[in-house]
Amino acid sequence: MSGADADRLCVLIVDDHDVVHWGFRTMLGELDWVASCLSATNGDEALALTREHAPDVALVDLFLGEESGPEVCERLLTERPELRVLLISGAGRISPATARACGASGFVPKDWPAADVARAVRMVALGMALFEPAAAPASGAMTLSGREREVLERIAGGATNREIALALHLSPHTVKEHTSALYRKLDVRNRAEAVQKAQRTGLLN
């Protein structure tokens, strides 16, 4: 590897959606400080690529089918401790404390502008931490997005994730992210608790 190439990054993208891989590879491939982008759809693939190519930064989705992004993060860091991991998500969120506990260097939503995501990759590669500020609920009130409310209403109606996905024209994966976000915001462990808590707090009539 030449001196110039040695200063450029190898980035690993770990996500189970082709369009996400395409988007990140297209964005990062245009940057002069990125040497290559690797793609993995699950933890095993990510681990194999880490062993073979020793990436500098890994973008890891919070939800990978049946796998947990934080668990994949821990596996990758066990294999390569110097790897910098940036957790990403389209709908769910993770607290800075939880992200740090699994060894991640930061978390960014997928809906950030491309320039901001690229800046986040560069920052964690340089050894900095980057965590989205947690939004403080106003006056103790629970704040849900419009989509989260739609998912919650259908959960209360007894719909499965697949049925919710069909009704809202979403992928089951995205519904799972919204459901996990609801559980975290409501501080509950399952659907029944989510519905009961939502009814008590006035989120459901």
Side-chain angles (χ1 to χ4, degrees), residues 16-88:
D16 56 355
H17 283 77
D18 289 341
V19 69
V20 174
H21 285 284
W22 175 82
F24 277 120
R25 289 170 69 98
T26 299
M27 176 193 72
L28 295 171
E30 296 176 348
L31 304 173
D32 57 12
W33 45 267
V34 174
S36 60
C37 291
L38 309 170
S39 293
T41 60
N42 56 53
D44 289 341
E45 289 180 8
L47 197 59
L49 287 170
T50 297
R51 287 172 179 155
E52 183 177 355
H53 299 282
D56 301 294
V57 179
L59 299 175
V60 180
D61 192 14
L62 279 184
F63 304 99
L64 294 161
E66 298 301 316
E67 294 180 279
S68 154
E71 290 175 358
V72 172
C73 173
E74 290 178 340
R75 292 177 65 192
L76 296 180
L77 290 171
T78 297
E79 177 64 30
R80 180 170 166 76
E82 60 270 43
L83 177 67
R84 308 289 293 180
V85 177
L86 188 63
L87 293 171
I88 57 175

Side-chain angles (χ1 to χ4, degrees), residues 62 69-71 73-74 77 85-88 93-108 129-132:
L62 279 184
E71 290 175 358
C73 173
E74 290 178 340
L77 290 171
V85 177
L86 188 63
L87 293 171
I88 57 175
R93 291 293 185 270
I94 186 171
S95 71
T98 302
R100 288 190 179 97
C102 72
S105 298
F107 166 80
V108 297
L130 181 71
F131 294 97
E132 220 191 355

Side-chain angles (χ1 to χ4, degrees), residues 57 86 108 112 115-125 128 130:
V57 179
L86 188 63
V108 297
W112 270 19
D116 291 340
V117 175
R119 191 175 299 112
V121 173
R122 191 73 181 273
M123 286 175 64
V124 299
M128 292 179 270
L130 181 71

Side-chain angles (χ1 to χ4, degrees), residues 156-173:
T160 65
N161 278 6
R162 186 168 295 279
E163 289 168 342
I164 295 171
L166 288 171
L168 299 181
H169 306 290
L170 300 171
S171 72
H173 175 88

